[in-house]
Amino acid sequence: MKHVMLDIDGTLIQSQAFDEKCLVDAIYSVTDLQIDSNWGAYPYVTDRGILKTFINERGLPYTLQELEQAVKPVFVSNIKEAIENNPVKEIEGAAAFVNHLLDSPEYIVSVATGGWGESALLKLQSAGFDTERLVLASSNDHYSRTEIMSVAQSKADASLRLPITYFGDAAWDVKACDELNVNLVIVGSKVSHHQQISSFSPLQRALSFIK
């Protein structure tokens, strides 16, 4: 068997533009402060990691838990409103790709996202994914992407021995997979990588990168 681990935003669904706005607006609503949305400059590009850096850099009078508890419900509400008006679109062929993996005895599947789990499920459901069959690790589990990936691995593969192929889309995915020595496939064109697809169609091309 092989373990396929999946990012969400920009990898399975077209969500990054409105997701970013929902987060920035939620943080402003709670703190009255505008956050720098140059996420590539953050040491931990996850929802929890962004708040952690924001607290440290601005010297805010919050613990990470306190700010997260205040911001998350506003963010989730913003996401709900956004997708009610404009349902989320999948990256071409992504839902069929995930269903193929889930239906096959050859693969186990997990999702490792830097977003919070509540918003991740809302977005995936809006885009037509069967979330009841997905093993999910998220920013609810940790602020570090590598730690989130390790949680996803342990949830999906108790042996921790199956080879992992990770589908992501950004520079932080490249960094995390390098640190964990994980086979990486980049979706889209935000970063260059020796294994890269523009979408999950045709299915066989996406499958061919799984090791």
Side-chain angles (χ1 to χ4, degrees):
M1 294 183 69
K2 304 167 187 175
H3 182 176
V4 179
M5 191 179 293
L6 304 159
D7 178 42
I8 296 178
D9 299 296
T11 300
L12 296 179
I13 57 175
Q14 302 174 39
S15 55
Q16 288 176 303
F18 77 80
D19 191 85
E20 177 179 302
K21 184 179 187 308
C22 287
L23 180 60
V24 170
D25 288 351
I27 292 171
Y28 184 79
S29 176
V30 170
T31 67
D32 287 327
L33 294 172
Q34 194 72 35
I35 190 171
D36 181 3
S37 60
N38 178 22
W39 309 131
Y42 286 69
Y44 303 105
V45 191
T46 66
D47 287 350
R48 184 179 283 181
I50 287 166
L51 292 187
K52 178 179 171 65
T53 300
F54 188 52
I55 290 168
N56 293 340
E57 290 187 346
R58 297 293 187 96
L60 300 181
Y62 298 94
T63 66
L64 178 55
Q65 183 180 17
E66 288 169 344
L67 187 57
E68 185 176 32
Q69 287 178 345
V71 168
K72 188 197 288 190
V74 181
F75 173 65
V76 171
S77 177
N78 290 349
I79 290 289
K80 286 180 179 178
E81 182 178 352
I83 64 180
E84 282 175 6
N85 295 327
N86 294 288
V88 181
K89 296 180 180 179
E90 65 168 337
I91 300 296
E92 183 184 358
F97 175 76
V98 174
N99 286 338
H100 176 86
L101 297 177
L102 291 170
D103 291 339
S104 171
E106 187 177 351
Y107 308 104
I108 61 168
V109 182
S110 67
V111 173
T113 176
W116 284 305
E118 296 88 339
S119 57
L121 291 174
L122 287 171
K123 289 179 288 185
L124 287 172
Q125 289 161 3
S126 176
F129 288 83
D130 181 4
T131 57
E132 291 188 2
R133 294 203 289 165
L134 291 176
V135 173
L136 174 69
S138 71
S139 205
N140 293 18
D141 297 297
H142 207 277
Y143 58 80
S144 163
R145 187 168 298 270
T146 53
E147 291 296 330
I148 292 169
M149 291 170 67
S150 294
V151 170
Q153 181 187 20
S154 63
K155 285 184 175 182
D157 171 25
S159 74
L160 303 179
R161 294 178 180 175
L162 295 179
I164 300 172
T165 295
Y166 184 88
F167 285 80
D169 71 298
W172 41 85
D173 296 313
V174 177
K175 180 181 178 183
C177 288
D178 281 347
E179 290 179 14
L180 295 176
N181 194 28
V182 165
N183 180 44
L184 170 66
V185 183
I186 285 291
V187 181
S189 58
K190 286 198 298 187
V191 292
S192 295
H193 187 62
H194 69 282
Q195 297 185 134
Q196 195 151 6
I197 54 177
S198 58
S199 72
F200 293 92
S201 182
L203 175 65
Q204 290 303 320
R205 174 165 167 75
L207 292 172
S208 70
F209 291 107
I210 299 173
K211 296 180 181 178

